[in-house]
PDB file of all heavy atoms in Angstrom:
ATOM      1  N   LEU N 371      -5.242  53.183  -0.341  1.00 93.00           N
ATOM      2  CA  LEU N 371      -6.174  53.664  -1.458  1.00 93.00           C
ATOM      3  C   LEU N 371      -6.980  54.888  -1.049  1.00 93.00           C
ATOM      4  O   LEU N 371      -7.665  55.443  -1.899  1.00 93.00           O
ATOM      5  CB  LEU N 371      -7.012  52.541  -1.881  1.00 93.00           C
ATOM      6  CG  LEU N 371      -6.498  51.320  -2.567  1.00 93.00           C
ATOM      7  CD1 LEU N 371      -7.528  50.215  -2.779  1.00 93.00           C
ATOM      8  CD2 LEU N 371      -5.864  51.650  -3.862  1.00 93.00           C
ATOM      9  N   SER N 372      -6.816  55.270   0.169  1.00 90.00           N
ATOM     10  CA  SER N 372      -7.633  56.403   0.683  1.00 90.00           C
ATOM     11  C   SER N 372      -7.124  57.765   0.189  1.00 90.00           C
ATOM     12  O   SER N 372      -6.012  57.916  -0.268  1.00 90.00           O
ATOM     13  CB  SER N 372      -7.826  56.363   2.121  1.00 90.00           C
ATOM     14  OG  SER N 372      -6.603  56.589   2.798  1.00 90.00           O
ATOM     15  N   SER N 373      -8.119  58.607   0.248  1.00 83.00           N
ATOM     16  CA  SER N 373      -7.836  60.015  -0.359  1.00 83.00           C
ATOM     17  C   SER N 373      -6.776  60.536   0.408  1.00 83.00           C
ATOM     18  O   SER N 373      -6.649  60.562   1.656  1.00 83.00           O
ATOM     19  CB  SER N 373      -9.143  60.747  -0.150  1.00 83.00           C
ATOM     20  OG  SER N 373      -8.838  62.103  -0.398  1.00 83.00           O
ATOM     21  N   GLY N 374      -5.743  61.123  -0.291  1.00 85.00           N
ATOM     22  CA  GLY N 374      -4.510  61.725   0.337  1.00 85.00           C
ATOM     23  C   GLY N 374      -3.418  60.854   0.391  1.00 85.00           C
ATOM     24  O   GLY N 374      -2.308  61.293   0.427  1.00 85.00           O
ATOM     25  N   TYR N 375      -3.667  59.543   0.186  1.00 87.00           N
ATOM     26  CA  TYR N 375      -2.467  58.578   0.294  1.00 87.00           C
ATOM     27  C   TYR N 375      -2.321  57.786  -1.018  1.00 87.00           C
ATOM     28  O   TYR N 375      -1.293  57.147  -1.202  1.00 87.00           O
ATOM     29  CB  TYR N 375      -2.727  57.641   1.487  1.00 87.00           C
ATOM     30  CG  TYR N 375      -2.592  58.348   2.788  1.00 87.00           C
ATOM     31  CD1 TYR N 375      -3.808  58.583   3.491  1.00 87.00           C
ATOM     32  CD2 TYR N 375      -1.432  58.816   3.293  1.00 87.00           C
ATOM     33  CE1 TYR N 375      -3.774  59.258   4.681  1.00 87.00           C
ATOM     34  CE2 TYR N 375      -1.343  59.535   4.569  1.00 87.00           C
ATOM     35  CZ  TYR N 375      -2.589  59.748   5.157  1.00 87.00           C
ATOM     36  OH  TYR N 375      -2.568  60.360   6.442  1.00 87.00           O
ATOM     37  N   TYR N 376      -3.418  57.818  -1.833  1.00 89.00           N
ATOM     38  CA  TYR N 376      -3.463  57.001  -3.079  1.00 89.00           C
ATOM     39  C   TYR N 376      -2.099  57.075  -3.909  1.00 89.00           C
ATOM     40  O   TYR N 376      -1.484  56.116  -4.291  1.00 89.00           O
ATOM     41  CB  TYR N 376      -4.642  57.389  -3.911  1.00 89.00           C
ATOM     42  CG  TYR N 376      -4.906  56.489  -5.079  1.00 89.00           C
ATOM     43  CD1 TYR N 376      -5.827  55.486  -4.987  1.00 89.00           C
ATOM     44  CD2 TYR N 376      -4.232  56.634  -6.308  1.00 89.00           C
ATOM     45  CE1 TYR N 376      -6.072  54.664  -6.104  1.00 89.00           C
ATOM     46  CE2 TYR N 376      -4.361  55.783  -7.382  1.00 89.00           C
ATOM     47  CZ  TYR N 376      -5.319  54.827  -7.244  1.00 89.00           C
ATOM     48  OH  TYR N 376      -5.580  53.957  -8.361  1.00 89.00           O
ATOM     49  N   GLU N 377      -1.749  58.279  -4.194  1.00 88.00           N
ATOM     50  CA  GLU N 377      -0.579  58.507  -5.193  1.00 88.00           C
ATOM     51  C   GLU N 377       0.702  58.086  -4.439  1.00 88.00           C
ATOM     52  O   GLU N 377       1.584  57.527  -5.061  1.00 88.00           O
ATOM     53  CB  GLU N 377      -0.467  60.005  -5.562  1.00 88.00           C
ATOM     54  CG  GLU N 377      -1.160  60.212  -6.904  1.00 88.00           C
ATOM     55  CD  GLU N 377      -0.702  59.246  -7.948  1.00 88.00           C
ATOM     56  OE1 GLU N 377       0.345  58.917  -8.133  1.00 88.00           O
ATOM     57  OE2 GLU N 377      -1.708  58.628  -8.524  1.00 88.00           O
ATOM     58  N   ALA N 378       0.839  58.557  -3.166  1.00 89.00           N
ATOM     59  CA  ALA N 378       2.120  58.260  -2.423  1.00 89.00           C
ATOM     60  C   ALA N 378       2.309  56.715  -2.269  1.00 89.00           C
ATOM     61  O   ALA N 378       3.497  56.234  -2.226  1.00 89.00           O
ATOM     62  CB  ALA N 378       2.073  58.906  -1.095  1.00 89.00           C
ATOM     63  N   TYR N 379       1.278  55.916  -2.115  1.00 92.00           N
ATOM     64  CA  TYR N 379       1.526  54.558  -1.878  1.00 92.00           C
ATOM     65  C   TYR N 379       1.205  53.729  -3.165  1.00 92.00           C
ATOM     66  O   TYR N 379       2.000  53.229  -3.749  1.00 92.00           O
ATOM     67  CB  TYR N 379       0.637  54.136  -0.611  1.00 92.00           C
ATOM     68  CG  TYR N 379       1.238  54.564   0.631  1.00 92.00           C
ATOM     69  CD1 TYR N 379       0.510  55.485   1.420  1.00 92.00           C
ATOM     70  CD2 TYR N 379       2.508  54.203   1.089  1.00 92.00           C
ATOM     71  CE1 TYR N 379       1.074  55.894   2.633  1.00 92.00           C
ATOM     72  CE2 TYR N 379       3.119  54.723   2.201  1.00 92.00           C
ATOM     73  CZ  TYR N 379       2.284  55.644   2.990  1.00 92.00           C
ATOM     74  OH  TYR N 379       2.903  55.957   4.206  1.00 92.00           O
ATOM     75  N   TYR N 380      -0.151  53.688  -3.495  1.00 92.00           N
ATOM     76  CA  TYR N 380      -0.663  52.762  -4.587  1.00 92.00           C
ATOM     77  C   TYR N 380       0.052  53.225  -5.890  1.00 92.00           C
ATOM     78  O   TYR N 380       0.541  52.461  -6.620  1.00 92.00           O
ATOM     79  CB  TYR N 380      -2.078  52.714  -4.599  1.00 92.00           C
ATOM     80  CG  TYR N 380      -2.599  51.639  -5.518  1.00 92.00           C
ATOM     81  CD1 TYR N 380      -2.414  50.269  -5.145  1.00 92.00           C
ATOM     82  CD2 TYR N 380      -3.286  51.833  -6.636  1.00 92.00           C
ATOM     83  CE1 TYR N 380      -2.842  49.227  -5.981  1.00 92.00           C
ATOM     84  CE2 TYR N 380      -3.685  50.899  -7.600  1.00 92.00           C
ATOM     85  CZ  TYR N 380      -3.480  49.510  -7.147  1.00 92.00           C
ATOM     86  OH  TYR N 380      -3.940  48.545  -7.986  1.00 92.00           O
ATOM     87  N   GLY N 381      -0.020  54.528  -6.144  1.00 93.00           N
ATOM     88  CA  GLY N 381       0.486  55.045  -7.351  1.00 93.00           C
ATOM     89  C   GLY N 381       1.914  54.715  -7.536  1.00 93.00           C
ATOM     90  O   GLY N 381       2.361  54.304  -8.620  1.00 93.00           O
ATOM     91  N   GLN N 382       2.691  54.977  -6.502  1.00 95.00           N
ATOM     92  CA  GLN N 382       4.158  54.694  -6.490  1.00 95.00           C
ATOM     93  C   GLN N 382       4.417  53.197  -6.749  1.00 95.00           C
ATOM     94  O   GLN N 382       5.296  52.814  -7.569  1.00 95.00           O
ATOM     95  CB  GLN N 382       4.784  55.124  -5.250  1.00 95.00           C
ATOM     96  CG  GLN N 382       5.016  56.611  -5.098  1.00 95.00           C
ATOM     97  CD  GLN N 382       6.102  57.183  -6.073  1.00 95.00           C
ATOM     98  OE1 GLN N 382       5.746  57.601  -7.170  1.00 95.00           O
ATOM     99  NE2 GLN N 382       7.383  57.164  -5.640  1.00 95.00           N
ATOM    100  N   ALA N 383       3.668  52.336  -5.896  1.00 96.00           N
ATOM    101  CA  ALA N 383       3.884  50.965  -6.068  1.00 96.00           C
ATOM    102  C   ALA N 383       3.692  50.389  -7.461  1.00 96.00           C
ATOM    103  O   ALA N 383       4.441  49.509  -7.948  1.00 96.00           O
ATOM    104  CB  ALA N 383       2.938  50.182  -5.077  1.00 96.00           C
ATOM    105  N   GLN N 384       2.653  50.983  -8.099  1.00 96.00           N
ATOM    106  CA  GLN N 384       2.349  50.480  -9.493  1.00 96.00           C
ATOM    107  C   GLN N 384       3.568  50.893 -10.427  1.00 96.00           C
ATOM    108  O   GLN N 384       3.840  50.249 -11.455  1.00 96.00           O
ATOM    109  CB  GLN N 384       1.091  51.114 -10.006  1.00 96.00           C
ATOM    110  CG  GLN N 384      -0.117  50.587  -9.451  1.00 96.00           C
ATOM    111  CD  GLN N 384      -1.383  51.243 -10.119  1.00 96.00           C
ATOM    112  OE1 GLN N 384      -1.476  52.421 -10.206  1.00 96.00           O
ATOM    113  NE2 GLN N 384      -2.154  50.302 -10.656  1.00 96.00           N
ATOM    114  N   LYS N 385       4.247  51.978 -10.112  1.00 97.00           N
ATOM    115  CA  LYS N 385       5.426  52.463 -10.955  1.00 97.00           C
ATOM    116  C   LYS N 385       6.578  51.525 -10.667  1.00 97.00           C
ATOM    117  O   LYS N 385       7.259  51.131 -11.656  1.00 97.00           O
ATOM    118  CB  LYS N 385       5.680  53.827 -10.721  1.00 97.00           C
ATOM    119  CG  LYS N 385       4.654  54.780 -11.205  1.00 97.00           C
ATOM    120  CD  LYS N 385       4.942  56.242 -10.899  1.00 97.00           C
ATOM    121  CE  LYS N 385       3.864  57.215 -11.399  1.00 97.00           C
ATOM    122  NZ  LYS N 385       4.211  58.528 -11.201  1.00 97.00           N
ATOM    123  N   VAL N 386       6.731  51.132  -9.374  1.00 97.00           N
ATOM    124  CA  VAL N 386       7.841  50.232  -9.049  1.00 97.00           C
ATOM    125  C   VAL N 386       7.622  48.992  -9.805  1.00 97.00           C
ATOM    126  O   VAL N 386       8.541  48.304 -10.292  1.00 97.00           O
ATOM    127  CB  VAL N 386       7.883  49.977  -7.518  1.00 97.00           C
ATOM    128  CG1 VAL N 386       8.776  48.850  -7.141  1.00 97.00           C
ATOM    129  CG2 VAL N 386       8.335  51.314  -6.837  1.00 97.00           C
ATOM    130  N   ARG N 387       6.312  48.528  -9.799  1.00 97.00           N
ATOM    131  CA  ARG N 387       6.010  47.323 -10.637  1.00 97.00           C
ATOM    132  C   ARG N 387       6.432  47.344 -11.985  1.00 97.00           C
ATOM    133  O   ARG N 387       6.988  46.353 -12.596  1.00 97.00           O
ATOM    134  CB  ARG N 387       4.428  47.107 -10.445  1.00 97.00           C
ATOM    135  CG  ARG N 387       4.040  45.743 -11.006  1.00 97.00           C
ATOM    136  CD  ARG N 387       2.582  45.526 -10.706  1.00 97.00           C
ATOM    137  NE  ARG N 387       2.327  44.195 -11.106  1.00 97.00           N
ATOM    138  CZ  ARG N 387       1.252  43.446 -10.847  1.00 97.00           C
ATOM    139  NH1 ARG N 387       0.216  44.099 -10.368  1.00 97.00           N
ATOM    140  NH2 ARG N 387       1.011  42.261 -11.259  1.00 97.00           N
ATOM    141  N   THR N 388       6.233  48.520 -12.712  1.00 97.00           N
ATOM    142  CA  THR N 388       6.714  48.667 -14.072  1.00 97.00           C
ATOM    143  C   THR N 388       8.205  48.502 -14.141  1.00 97.00           C
ATOM    144  O   THR N 388       8.758  47.842 -15.138  1.00 97.00           O
ATOM    145  CB  THR N 388       6.330  50.095 -14.554  1.00 97.00           C
ATOM    146  OG1 THR N 388       4.947  50.257 -14.435  1.00 97.00           O
ATOM    147  CG2 THR N 388       6.768  50.263 -15.997  1.00 97.00           C
ATOM    148  N   LEU N 389       8.847  49.065 -13.227  1.00 97.00           N
ATOM    149  CA  LEU N 389      10.408  48.913 -13.325  1.00 97.00           C
ATOM    150  C   LEU N 389      10.858  47.524 -13.048  1.00 97.00           C
ATOM    151  O   LEU N 389      11.837  47.121 -13.630  1.00 97.00           O
ATOM    152  CB  LEU N 389      10.930  49.911 -12.201  1.00 97.00           C
ATOM    153  CG  LEU N 389      10.735  51.393 -12.432  1.00 97.00           C
ATOM    154  CD1 LEU N 389      11.425  52.163 -11.284  1.00 97.00           C
ATOM    155  CD2 LEU N 389      11.258  51.861 -13.745  1.00 97.00           C
ATOM    156  N   ILE N 390      10.194  46.825 -12.123  1.00 98.00           N
ATOM    157  CA  ILE N 390      10.552  45.389 -11.896  1.00 98.00           C
ATOM    158  C   ILE N 390      10.246  44.582 -13.176  1.00 98.00           C
ATOM    159  O   ILE N 390      11.111  43.820 -13.614  1.00 98.00           O
ATOM    160  CB  ILE N 390       9.751  44.850 -10.741  1.00 98.00           C
ATOM    161  CG1 ILE N 390      10.295  45.537  -9.480  1.00 98.00           C
ATOM    162  CG2 ILE N 390       9.914  43.306 -10.631  1.00 98.00           C
ATOM    163  CD1 ILE N 390       9.573  45.143  -8.242  1.00 98.00           C
ATOM    164  N   ALA N 391       9.099  44.827 -13.786  1.00 97.00           N
ATOM    165  CA  ALA N 391       8.837  44.056 -14.992  1.00 97.00           C
ATOM    166  C   ALA N 391       9.880  44.384 -16.152  1.00 97.00           C
ATOM    167  O   ALA N 391      10.316  43.475 -16.896  1.00 97.00           O
ATOM    168  CB  ALA N 391       7.406  44.423 -15.534  1.00 97.00           C
ATOM    169  N   ARG N 392      10.250  45.633 -16.190  1.00 97.00           N
ATOM    170  CA  ARG N 392      11.196  46.050 -17.124  1.00 97.00           C
ATOM    171  C   ARG N 392      12.644  45.358 -16.882  1.00 97.00           C
ATOM    172  O   ARG N 392      13.250  45.017 -17.801  1.00 97.00           O
ATOM    173  CB  ARG N 392      11.497  47.570 -16.987  1.00 97.00           C
ATOM    174  CG  ARG N 392      11.602  48.219 -18.404  1.00 97.00           C
ATOM    175  CD  ARG N 392      11.754  49.812 -18.092  1.00 97.00           C
ATOM    176  NE  ARG N 392      10.440  50.445 -18.256  1.00 97.00           N
ATOM    177  CZ  ARG N 392      10.285  51.795 -18.035  1.00 97.00           C
ATOM    178  NH1 ARG N 392      11.348  52.450 -17.606  1.00 97.00           N
ATOM    179  NH2 ARG N 392       9.189  52.353 -18.160  1.00 97.00           N
ATOM    180  N   ASP N 393      13.034  45.294 -15.590  1.00 98.00           N
ATOM    181  CA  ASP N 393      14.283  44.702 -15.236  1.00 98.00           C
ATOM    182  C   ASP N 393      14.260  43.214 -15.698  1.00 98.00           C
ATOM    183  O   ASP N 393      15.304  42.824 -16.205  1.00 98.00           O
ATOM    184  CB  ASP N 393      14.423  44.600 -13.596  1.00 98.00           C
ATOM    185  CG  ASP N 393      14.854  45.982 -13.067  1.00 98.00           C
ATOM    186  OD1 ASP N 393      15.203  46.894 -13.839  1.00 98.00           O
ATOM    187  OD2 ASP N 393      14.997  45.960 -11.761  1.00 98.00           O
ATOM    188  N   PHE N 394      13.227  42.499 -15.578  1.00 98.00           N
ATOM    189  CA  PHE N 394      13.146  41.055 -15.931  1.00 98.00           C
ATOM    190  C   PHE N 394      13.224  41.101 -17.555  1.00 98.00           C
ATOM    191  O   PHE N 394      14.035  40.225 -18.021  1.00 98.00           O
ATOM    192  CB  PHE N 394      11.938  40.458 -15.454  1.00 98.00           C
ATOM    193  CG  PHE N 394      11.991  39.817 -14.062  1.00 98.00           C
ATOM    194  CD1 PHE N 394      11.240  40.452 -12.985  1.00 98.00           C
ATOM    195  CD2 PHE N 394      12.736  38.682 -13.763  1.00 98.00           C
ATOM    196  CE1 PHE N 394      11.382  39.893 -11.728  1.00 98.00           C
ATOM    197  CE2 PHE N 394      12.812  38.195 -12.475  1.00 98.00           C
ATOM    198  CZ  PHE N 394      12.069  38.779 -11.503  1.00 98.00           C
ATOM    199  N   ALA N 395      12.529  41.918 -18.107  1.00 97.00           N
ATOM    200  CA  ALA N 395      12.530  41.919 -19.570  1.00 97.00           C
ATOM    201  C   ALA N 395      13.936  42.144 -20.137  1.00 97.00           C
ATOM    202  O   ALA N 395      14.403  41.466 -21.049  1.00 97.00           O
ATOM    203  CB  ALA N 395      11.503  42.945 -20.168  1.00 97.00           C
ATOM    204  N   ASN N 396      14.626  43.064 -19.468  1.00 98.00           N
ATOM    205  CA  ASN N 396      15.985  43.404 -19.886  1.00 98.00           C
ATOM    206  C   ASN N 396      16.913  42.155 -19.662  1.00 98.00           C
ATOM    207  O   ASN N 396      17.681  41.835 -20.481  1.00 98.00           O
ATOM    208  CB  ASN N 396      16.573  44.554 -19.088  1.00 98.00           C
ATOM    209  CG  ASN N 396      15.906  45.964 -19.596  1.00 98.00           C
ATOM    210  OD1 ASN N 396      15.425  46.023 -20.674  1.00 98.00           O
ATOM    211  ND2 ASN N 396      15.957  46.834 -18.662  1.00 98.00           N
TER     212      ASN N 396
END
Side-chain angles (χ1 to χ4, degrees):
Chain N
L371 292 174
S372 66
S373 172
Y375 296 103
Y376 186 100
E377 267 315 308
Y379 288 117
Y380 192 68
Q382 285 289 92
Q384 287 187 305
K385 293 180 179 183
V386 170
R387 188 171 189 178
T388 301
L389 295 180
I390 289 176
R392 222 179 262 173
D393 279 357
F394 275 109
N396 289 338

